Amino acid sequence: METYIGKPVKRREDNRFLKGAGKYTDDIKLHGMTHSAFVRSPYAHAKILSVDTSAAQNAEGVVAIYTGSDDCGTFGVPCGWQVDFKDGETMREPMHPLLAKDKINHLGEAVAIVIAETLEQARDAAELVNVKYEALPAVTCPKKAMEPGAPKVHDQWEDNAAFDWCIGNDRAEVEAALTSAHHVTEMTYKNHRVAPNAIEPRSYIADYDVNADKWTLYTSTQNPHLVRLLLCAFALGIPEHKVRVVSYDVGGGFGSKIYHYTEEALLTWASKEIGRPIKWTSDRTEAFLTDAHGRDHIVHSKMGFDKDGKIVAHLTDEYCAMGAYLSTFAPAVPTYLHGTLFQGVYTTPLIHLNVVAPFTHTVAVDAYRGAGRPEATYLLERMISKAAKEMEIDPAELRYKNFIPPFNGTSEPGYQTQVALQYDSGNYHGVLKRGLEMLGYEDFRKEQAEARKNGKLLGVGLSTYIEGCGIAPSAVVGSLGARAGLYEVGHVRVQPTGKVSVFTGAHSHGQGHETVFAQFVADKLGIPMDDVDIVHGDTDQVAFGMGTYGSRSLAVGGSAIIKSVEKVLEKGAKIAAHKLEAAEEDLEYAEGKWTVKGTDKSISFGDVSLTAYVPHDYPEGVEPGLDFSSFYDPTNFTYPFGTHIAVVEVDSDTGKVTLKRFVACDDVGNVMNPMIVDGQIHGGVVQGVGQALLEEVVYDGEGQMVTGSYMDYAMPRADDFPMIETDRTTTPCPHNPLGVKGAGEAGAIGSTPAVVNAVVDALAHLGVTDIQMPVTPMRVWKAMQN
C-alpha cells in the first residue's frame, strides 16, 4: 500500500483552480439576487450633518437604501478579545456600528447602503446620496494620538487609549540591569502599517428564506463558525440554528478574513428587510480603505549586554495603533501574540515590554500574517544585529552566544520563558548552523570584502526567529481575554463501502487542506488517498470549528481528525475481532486490514465498514455505523523556528536594493507534504520582503490614505526575487499526535529583519546603523549621503 505522509503529493484542489473552476463567493448567482454599493465617508473624522437619499431612491433599479438612522443603525459588530488596563480599568470598547449615524471615525466608513437590481445601478444611485459633513481634525499616528490635546476618536473617554498592558519582569529591575550593563544597544523605529492584499477581495451574499425563517450567508471568510457565532450572538441577536454560513473557495486571507466585518451583518439584516438575496463584493479601493490592516507600532527599545556579549536585559516601550474601532482579535495582536515572543530564541534573563494601544482615525488594525510575532522578531533581530556591529562581534557569533540550548520537550523539559510561555522543543543552534552552511557564510564575507574594493555594495542579513502557533489551549487564552474557545473539531464518517468523508472546522483559503488532510488520514487508515474526501467551510455540514489562522490547521485541526480516526479504528477492531473470532488484543492493523497476529487470517477495512452498516453478523452491544466526531484542545502552543538569511546588493548611485539570494532553513516539526511547506515558506518570504522593501500604507495629516491603489502601494513581483533556497531541520512537537508545528507564517516572520539587516550590513562601512522600512531607494540614498 502506498504511503503519503512526507511526500510531495500534488495538490488535488489545484485541479479546479488551474481550470478556473474554483467556486468563489462572487461567482455565486442566486434567483432574484440584488446588488449593493456603499456610500463611504471621504473624511477621516467628521460630523454627519445630514444624509439625503431622495434622489437616489428614485434612481433606476433601486430596491432599497438604508442609513444609520434606520433600525440597522442600532447594531454593531463585537470585539473578540478583551485586554484591560494595567490599573484594572476595563478595556474601552466603542460600538462599531454597521453604518455611521452621527460621526465618522475613519476614511471609508460606511454611511449608507444602496441596494439595486444590478451592481451598476447600485453604484450609480450611491453617487446620488447627498451627505453633508463637518470635517474635524484627525490623528493617525498612535504616539501622537496619546499626546495631550490630540483629536479624540471617541468623545466619551478622556484620551484615545483603548488599553495599556505590560509583560515580563519588574520594570525597575530591568532598568537597573541596563544601567549596569557593559554595553547598551538602543533603537527607535516604526514598524509601519501594511495592507493584506488578498487576490480575492472580500465578498458576501446574504439570503433570507421567508418560508423557513432562515438566513444563509455566503462569505469569503477564514472562519465560518466564528462569523456565525459573532453574527448571531453579538451583532444581530439571531438564533444560531437559523443561520447557515458558507465559505467555499477563498482567494487568500493572510488574517484579514478572520474577522467579522460590518458588511456581513448589514447584508444579513437587510436581506430579510427586502426579502431577496443581496451581494456585495469589495473593489480594490474599498479593500485598501476597509480591510483590517497590519502592524503600525512605534517602538523604543534598549538591550543590555555583559562584557562577553551575553544579553543581560531588554526593555521596550511601544505605541500600537488599534484604528478607529476594535476589530475581532485586535487587542491580542500587540499583547499576547507579541509580548509573549520577546524571549525569542535567546536566554535573556530580564525582559519588560510596555504597550499603549490608542484609537486612531484609521481603519482597524488586526492580525496580518504572523500577527504580533513578526513585530517581535523584527525588533529582536534588528537589535541583535545592531548590537553585534556596535560591539564588533560577528552577528552569527553573537547569536550563538545567546541561544537557548537544545531541548526536546520529552526527556528534557520545555523552556520556560520570562514572558509566560513554555517552548515545546527546539534546536536554534542547529538551524542557524545549517542556514550558514547553505549560504557559504565565510566565503560570502570574503566576496563582500572584495566587492567593496570595487565599489560594489553587498550585504548579508541574518534572522533567527521563533513563533507561537497552533493557538490554544482554550483555558489559557480564555484567562488572557479571548472570548471564544480555540479548539478544533474533526469528524470522520466512514461510508459503508469504506470510503471516508472528513469534516473539519479548519478552513482552507490556499493552504492545501484537501490534500494534506487526506494524506495523513489515508496513511492512518491504510487506504488510497482517493478514498478520502475533505469537507470544510459550511456550518450546516461541519458541526463546529474555529477556522484557520495562526498556523493552527494541522496542529489543532489535524489532531482533532486523528482523534476521530483512532475512534474509527478502535470500533473497527471490535467488529473485526467478532468476524475473525479472535480477541481484540490478538489483532494488528496495517495496510488497511486487521490481521490475527502470526496468522494469515484478516479482514479488510472495507469489509468492516460494510459490516458496520449491515450489522447482521455483529458483536453484541456495539452500535451500528462508523462515524465519529472529536474536539481537540491542545495543551500548549507549538513553536516553529528557523534561520533566514538575505544577501542584497545596493546600487551606490540610486539606492536601489536588489535581493541576490535568500536562504530559509526552517524547523516546522514533522512535515506532511514538503512541496506544500516549501510553497508556504516561499509565499511568506515574499510577503515579508514586501514589507521590508516596498509596501506601506500611508495616511496624511488629515487621515487621507495616499496609497489607496496599486499605483501608489508597491507590491512585490516575481522578478524582484531570486529562487528562494529552502531546507529544514526537524524537531517534532512533543504534544500533538502528528508532531507538527506549523509553516504558514514562518516566511513572513523571518524574512523582514533578514533583509533590513542585509541592507544595513551593505552600508555599514558608510556609518549607517539603521534604516526605516520600507527600505526604498530614496531612504537608502539619503542614508548613504548622511
Side-chain angles (χ1 to χ4, degrees):
M1 176 65 70
E2 185 180 0
T3 57
Y4 304 100
I5 290 177
K7 292 185 177 176
V9 178
K10 290 185 177 178
R11 299 186 351 149
R12 53 168 56 173
E13 45 271 74
D14 287 345
N15 180 52
R16 64 178 186 277
F17 293 145
L18 292 173
K19 293 186 291 190
K23 192 173 185 180
Y24 298 91
T25 301
D26 195 57
D27 297 327
I28 298 170
K29 295 179 174 60
L30 302 179
H31 177 70
M33 188 170 71
T34 62
H35 300 262
S36 60
F38 284 90
V39 178
R40 298 190 181 277
S41 170
Y43 299 101
H45 190 200
K47 290 180 181 177
I48 299 174
L49 302 178
S50 64
V51 182
D52 181 358
T53 64
S54 55
Q57 293 280 7
N58 294 322
E60 182 181 0
V62 169
V63 176
I65 300 174
Y66 299 105
T67 71
S69 297
D70 292 301
D71 289 346
C72 58
T74 63
F75 299 117
V77 295
C79 176
W81 202 297
Q82 181 174 333
V83 177
D84 292 334
F85 285 81
K86 289 181 289 188
D87 65 3
E89 181 185 346
T90 302
M91 180 178 77
R92 295 168 180 171
E93 191 171 354
M95 178 182 173
H96 188 176
L98 306 190
L99 292 170
K101 184 178 180 180
D102 302 314
K103 188 168 176 279
I104 294 298
N105 285 317
H106 70 88
L107 181 71
E109 187 168 5
V111 177
I113 181 172
V114 177
I115 303 166
E117 299 293 345
T118 70
L119 176 60
E120 293 74 19
Q121 289 170 337
R123 286 178 172 173
D124 287 346
E127 293 184 0
L128 300 176
V129 175
N130 184 16
V131 185
K132 291 186 178 177
Y133 303 93
E134 177 186 335
L136 300 170
V139 62
T140 59
C141 168
K143 187 176 182 181
K144 289 182 178 178
M146 291 306 299
E147 292 176 352
K152 287 205 289 185
V153 182
H154 301 286
D155 296 330
Q156 62 267 46
W157 292 299
E158 61 190 21
D159 59 38
N160 284 318
F163 59 87
D164 59 27
W165 180 86
C166 68
I167 193 170
N169 306 94
D170 177 72
R171 184 178 184 113
E173 190 179 0
V174 176
E175 288 177 333
L178 287 169
T179 301
S180 59
H182 174 75
H183 174 83
V184 175
T185 289
E186 188 168 357
M187 285 182 66
T188 299
Y189 65 91
K190 180 179 183 181
N191 198 322
H192 58 288
R193 183 180 279 250
V194 287
N197 286 303
I199 290 176
E200 180 204 18
R202 291 188 292 123
S203 182
Y204 311 125
I205 302 171
D207 182 20
Y208 176 70
D209 182 342
V210 66
N211 296 312
D213 187 29
K214 287 188 175 181
W215 291 259
T216 299
L217 175 65
Y218 302 90
T219 168
S220 55
T221 184
Q222 300 173 221
N223 207 338
H225 290 86
L226 184 65
V227 166
R228 186 181 64 168
L229 176 63
L230 296 174
L231 174 74
C232 294
F234 300 100
L236 297 182
I238 301 173
E240 204 168 356
H241 66 285
K242 289 181 177 291
V243 176
R244 175 189 177 200
V245 175
V246 182
S247 180
Y248 293 127
D249 292 322
V250 174
F254 314 120
S256 70
K257 293 174 182 170
I258 300 172
Y259 326 120
H260 180 34
Y261 285 91
T262 55
E263 291 91 349
E264 290 172 306
L266 182 59
L267 262 65
T268 303
W269 173 85
S271 67
K272 183 176 182 180
E273 295 295 309
I274 69 169
R276 294 173 61 181
I278 310 169
K279 176 189 282 188
W280 172 76
T281 299
S282 168
D283 62 27
R284 190 55 66 181
T285 297
E286 283 183 302
F288 274 109
L289 295 178
T290 64
D291 290 0
H293 292 163
R295 320 289 193 247
D296 206 358
H297 294 196
I298 305 291
V299 182
H300 178 70
S301 185
K302 294 181 180 179
M303 185 176 283
F305 297 81
D306 68 15
K307 61 182 175 53
D308 297 320
K310 293 281 288 183
I311 305 170
V312 296
H314 175 204
L315 174 65
T316 291
D317 291 284
E318 298 191 19
Y319 293 90
C320 305
M322 290 287 100
Y325 302 101
L326 295 178
S327 180
T328 306
F329 286 143
V333 176
T335 55
Y336 296 107
L337 297 176
H338 177 56
T340 53
L341 272 300
F342 264 49
Q343 190 80 53
V345 292
Y346 308 113
T347 56
T348 311
L350 293 169
I351 300 168
H352 186 88
L353 167 65
N354 183 68
V355 169
V356 178
F359 295 108
T360 51
H361 290 109
T362 63
V363 72
V365 179
D366 208 321
Y368 167 73
R369 201 164 190 172
R373 289 99 87 198
E375 297 92 312
T377 298
Y378 185 81
L379 168 61
L380 293 174
E381 296 308 297
R382 281 291 300 121
M383 291 289 281
I384 291 285
S385 286
K386 187 168 187 284
K389 182 64 182 174
E390 291 170 350
M391 294 188 289
E392 298 183 343
I393 301 175
D394 184 90
E397 182 186 346
L398 186 59
R399 286 173 169 84
Y400 282 135
K401 282 177 180 285
N402 286 283
F403 276 153
I404 296 165
F407 60 103
N408 60 28
T410 51
S411 60
E412 300 154 323
Y415 184 84
Q416 182 60 53
T417 72
Q418 302 295 319
V419 278
L421 299 180
Q422 185 178 66
Y423 295 163
D424 54 358
S425 59
N427 181 353
Y428 315 120
H429 186 285
V431 80
L432 175 57
K433 180 173 181 289
R434 178 62 190 133
L436 295 175
E437 289 172 352
M438 292 168 65
L439 177 72
Y441 185 63
E442 292 183 4
D443 289 342
F444 172 80
R445 285 298 189 193
K446 294 174 185 173
E447 179 188 349
Q448 180 185 37
E450 285 298 314
R452 278 185 184 164
K453 293 176 184 174
N454 300 318
K456 192 174 179 182
L457 303 178
L458 295 180
V460 61
L462 309 183
S463 168
T464 48
Y465 73 89
I466 188 169
E467 56 168 328
C469 293
I471 184 168
S474 296
V476 172
V477 297
S479 69
L480 302 180
R483 290 166 171 170
L486 286 172
Y487 46 80
E488 196 47 84
V489 179
H491 180 182
V492 176
R493 177 176 300 157
V494 182
Q495 311 291 351
T497 56
K499 311 303 180 188
V500 176
S501 299
V502 176
F503 303 85
T504 174
H507 181 275
S508 182
H509 37 280
Q511 293 85 352
H513 292 173
E514 294 170 38
T515 304
V516 175
F517 287 8
Q519 281 182 256
F520 70 77
V521 170
D523 264 14
K524 295 292 181 184
L525 294 177
I527 61 177
M529 261 186 75
D530 286 345
D531 288 357
V532 181
D533 184 38
I534 306 297
V535 180
H536 65 91
D538 187 337
T539 59
D540 270 11
Q541 291 195 66
V542 181
F544 203 74
M546 296 309 300
T548 288
Y549 44 86
S551 300
R552 71 189 301 275
S553 291
L554 195 53
V556 187
S559 297
I561 294 169
I562 287 292
K563 284 186 68 175
S564 290
V565 168
E566 289 170 349
K567 291 175 183 176
V568 166
L569 292 174
E570 183 180 349
K571 184 174 180 180
K574 295 182 186 300
I575 300 170
H578 176 83
K579 298 290 286 185
L580 294 169
E581 298 181 337
E584 281 181 57
E585 54 270 26
D586 291 336
L587 301 183
E588 58 187 3
Y589 187 80
E591 298 185 346
K593 60 185 178 184
W594 285 269
T595 301
V596 180
K597 296 173 186 173
T599 76
D600 59 357
K601 291 179 61 178
S602 65
I603 184 170
S604 71
F605 180 76
D607 286 338
V608 167
S609 304
L610 184 62
T611 303
Y613 289 93
V614 188
H616 298 164
D617 178 15
Y618 206 65
E620 187 176 349
V622 176
E623 293 180 1
L626 268 180
D627 193 321
F628 288 100
S629 185
S630 303
F631 284 67
Y632 177 76
D633 200 340
T635 57
N636 194 359
F637 294 80
T638 61
Y639 297 93
F641 57 92
T643 290
H644 287 190
I645 305 174
V647 173
V648 302
E649 180 175 352
V650 177
D651 187 308
S652 58
D653 293 326
T654 66
K656 184 180 187 302
V657 176
T658 301
L659 187 61
K660 305 293 287 184
R661 288 183 67 187
F662 196 94
V663 169
C665 184
D666 300 279
D667 194 318
V668 297
N670 291 336
V671 170
M672 298 292 108
N673 186 320
M675 180 192 71
I676 288 179
V677 168
D678 280 348
Q680 295 261 13
I681 298 297
H682 283 205
V685 166
V686 170
Q687 212 152 3
V689 174
Q691 181 182 5
L693 295 179
L694 299 164
E695 300 181 50
E696 183 176 20
V697 172
V698 179
Y699 286 99
D700 70 13
E702 295 179 346
Q704 293 295 321
M705 186 186 294
V706 297
T707 53
S709 80
Y710 288 141
M711 295 296 289
D712 307 294
Y713 188 95
M715 292 285 287
R717 303 180 185 188
D719 61 2
D720 290 324
F721 290 84
M723 190 62 196
I724 297 166
E725 303 163 54
T726 59
D727 198 2
R728 278 179 285 280
T729 59
T730 302
T731 311
C733 173
H735 63 76
N736 69 54
L738 293 167
V740 296
K741 293 190 171 186
E745 295 154 306
I749 292 171
S751 59
T752 312
V755 170
V756 177
N757 283 339
V759 175
V760 174
D761 183 62
L763 307 178
H765 64 295
L766 302 176
V768 176
T769 60
D770 190 24
I771 192 163
Q772 173 64 47
M773 293 191 293
V775 185
T776 60
M778 181 181 72
R779 285 185 171 135
V780 174
W781 189 85
K782 283 185 175 179
M784 288 191 291
Q785 309 316 305
N786 293 331

